Amino acid sequence: MRAYCGATSSERIRKEQVEGMSENNAGDELAAATSEASLAASRQRSRDIEADLAVHPERWRVLTGDRPTGELHIGHYFGSLANRVRLQNLGVETWVLVADYQVITDRDGVGPIRERVYSAIANYLACGIDPERSTIFTHSAIPALNQLLLPFLSLVTDSELKRNPTVKAEHEATGGRPMSALLLTYPVHQAADILFCKAQLVPVGKDQLPHLEQARLIARRFDERYGRSVPEHPVFPQPEALLSVAMNILGTDGTKMSKSKGNTIELGMDADTTAKLIKKAVTDSDRHITYDPVHRPEVANLLLLAALCSGDDPVAIAERIGDGGGGALKALVTEAVNTFFAPIRQRRAELVADPGYLEQVLAAGNAKANAQAEATLDEVRTAMQMKY
Ligand code: ATP
Ligand code: MG
């Protein structure tokens, strides 16, 4: 954000003409997206946007999504799904992508993709995403979205992608597996996801800021290259980050709960399975329960879960348990989680029992996304003088 916020539009265009896609320059901009100063600016901007969302929700369009690499879990609920529902209910137009093509960035096969896609949709609806107000769609069903990748790829360099901090982190997480070209280019695919529907807002954690910076660079470069005939009407808006409060729910093994790690409590699990998993969750040997996220992360995580589910304060919960030990803590967390998710799980079970309805929701979302993607691609081809 920092890199060009302060520059006037003519300065920016001149800078871009002189430097083109200078690799150092682009690398700096992406790295700068996570610098302290830029982070502070992004936080302030997010607060300003939040204030505007409350007053003018109709001005904003949000894109969010998930890779269907596994079942959505309670970490997703508190870390992102609840916020999507909140934005939707404020009146913000919300687009929700099930990023099926992105499953194969870092794995050889798609897994039980069909089940996972419909399961994700059942979870969205059960959590409160309303298909009348939000558009749920899948990558693979939207050809015009994917076609945007071609012109967009011409606007980035290979070294810019190789140095993208998020690409590097994702690659490291694969444990030294050779990087697929799809993983390397996934920030560009994500730019297509954001820009095809002209979303101005993307809820992200701070680690995803470089992605958004890449999407902004692509939007700007496209318009500078092809949209200069009417500079005041750029083809693409500059999408902005809505920084979410960092939430890091740990899994039963004490590391970050992740759908591909086998350490999750899934949204769709039943109460007994949830109880068994929480019983096995890693804690520590100190029987006196305290809320100390730094020194006792596993115990603190359980207290946080109980707090999120009950609306209570984690410190107060810890004080109530006192010397009751891990057993009492886990019993309390189990009760809180199962009570909180019971209505969501009930709705989810009803939805899963009606696959025809889920198919209908996705077909309608895909039809809407296709119409939008075709309109955007049409503008892109017009700007590129490739309309025949
Ligand atoms: P994968 O194992 O495929 O990486 P994941 O479970 O880590 O899956 P992601 O798809 O990487 O899930 O995460 C999508 C978003 O969900 C994150 O950006 C974050 O907002 C939220 N999220 C995921 N896991 C957690 C968690 N453990 N705690 C809080 N939020 C989470
Ligand atoms: Mg992850």
Side-chain angles (χ1 to χ4, degrees):
M1 325 266 137
R2 161 213 64 88
Y4 46 84
C5 273
T8 64
S9 131
S10 60
E11 277 168 349
R12 266 201 286 115
I13 291 171
R14 206 164 42 244
K15 188 167 174 257
E16 193 79 358
Q17 278 170 332
V18 173
E19 296 173 341
M21 292 184 300
S22 148
E23 290 170 359
N24 288 332
N25 181 41
D28 289 350
E29 288 191 62
L30 293 175
T34 47
S35 78
E36 273 312 311
S38 145
L39 198 55
S42 299
R43 287 207 174 101
Q44 183 53 50
R45 180 66 190 137
S46 283
R47 282 194 289 273
D48 294 346
I49 292 172
E50 275 290 355
D52 195 60
L53 286 173
V55 192
H56 299 294
E58 74 290 346
R59 285 188 187 160
W60 297 91
R61 186 180 281 190
V62 167
L63 177 98
T64 66
D66 301 284
R67 290 201 307 160
T69 49
E71 291 295 322
L72 294 177
H73 50 72
I74 62 176
H76 288 120
Y77 182 84
F78 292 114
S80 104
L81 296 178
N83 192 39
R84 289 180 202 173
V85 174
R86 179 185 71 89
L87 292 170
Q88 169 200 271
N89 292 347
L90 276 177
V92 178
E93 189 181 324
T94 312
W95 292 60
V96 185
L97 165 65
V98 185
D100 53 358
Y101 270 149
Q102 288 298 319
V103 169
I104 48 174
T105 49
D106 59 357
R107 52 201 80 201
D108 293 327
V110 290
I113 187 83
R114 213 184 139 74
E115 289 77 1
R116 284 177 178 167
V117 167
Y118 284 111
S119 178
I121 295 170
N123 282 322
Y124 296 154
L125 302 183
C127 290
I129 295 289
D130 172 0
E132 297 295 322
R133 289 184 283 168
S134 296
T135 308
I136 300 172
F137 64 105
T138 46
H139 262 151
S140 63
I142 319 297
L145 181 163
N146 294 299
Q147 192 174 328
L148 290 176
L149 265 181
L150 288 171
F152 286 2
L153 281 168
S154 76
L155 299 169
V156 298
T157 66
D158 67 330
S159 66
E160 188 178 326
L161 291 171
K162 281 179 193 146
R163 281 187 288 149
N164 179 304
T166 334
V167 169
K168 276 197 198 160
E170 292 283 333
H171 184 233
E172 277 157 20
T174 67
R177 183 192 160 97
M179 194 187 306
S180 75
L182 191 61
L183 178 56
L184 182 65
T185 55
Y186 100 106
V188 187
H189 202 184
Q190 206 169 55
D193 299 338
I194 298 166
L195 298 176
F196 97 96
C197 66
K198 308 206 175 181
Q200 312 102 319
L201 206 53
V202 188
V204 292
K206 68 174 182 180
D207 54 329
Q208 292 158 317
L209 285 173
H211 268 181
L212 206 63
E213 195 55 35
Q214 187 73 71
R216 292 167 63 91
L217 277 172
I218 289 171
R220 179 156 60 91
R221 286 173 182 165
F222 183 89
D223 275 301
E224 286 169 2
R225 211 176 261 194
Y226 303 110
R228 286 188 187 171
S229 52
V230 214
E232 63 278 17
H233 292 297
V235 174
F236 295 113
Q238 292 268 302
E240 300 198 72
L242 187 65
L243 266 180
S244 38
V245 182
M247 177 85 73
N248 190 16
I249 304 291
L250 305 182
T252 49
D253 60 356
T255 71
K256 180 176 176 276
M257 189 177 285
S258 270
K259 56 177 135 60
S260 42
K261 278 206 254 168
N263 66 353
T264 68
I265 296 169
E266 296 170 12
L267 284 170
M269 275 172 176
D270 62 28
D272 286 348
T273 312
T274 302
K276 280 189 195 119
L277 288 173
I278 293 177
K279 207 168 197 172
K280 280 199 311 203
V282 174
T283 49
D284 55 41
S285 54
D286 186 348
R287 279 192 62 77
H288 184 70
I289 300 303
T290 52
Y291 184 65
D292 182 351
V294 175
H295 300 105
R296 304 183 72 187
E298 299 92 353
V299 167
N301 181 61
L302 288 175
L303 287 164
L304 177 65
L305 272 179
L308 288 166
C309 291
S310 64
D312 212 341
D313 177 55
V315 177
I317 299 173
E319 279 166 8
R320 278 206 304 279
I321 300 172
D323 289 325
L329 170 64
K330 288 176 177 180
L332 187 146
V333 174
T334 301
E335 173 66 20
V337 169
N338 280 339
T339 304
F340 182 83
F341 285 102
I344 290 177
R345 287 169 164 172
Q346 170 68 32
R347 274 200 299 280
R348 187 183 186 284
E350 289 160 16
L351 288 157
V352 169
D354 188 358
Y357 175 68
L358 296 176
E359 284 168 16
Q360 208 182 304
V361 165
L362 182 56
N366 280 339
K368 192 169 162 206
N370 266 315
Q372 171 70 59
E374 278 156 24
T376 301
L377 182 61
D378 201 68
E379 278 182 74
V380 162
R381 293 176 60 208
T382 303
M384 295 177 78
Q385 302 178 60
M386 289 182 176
K387 279 289 283 185
Y388 313 110

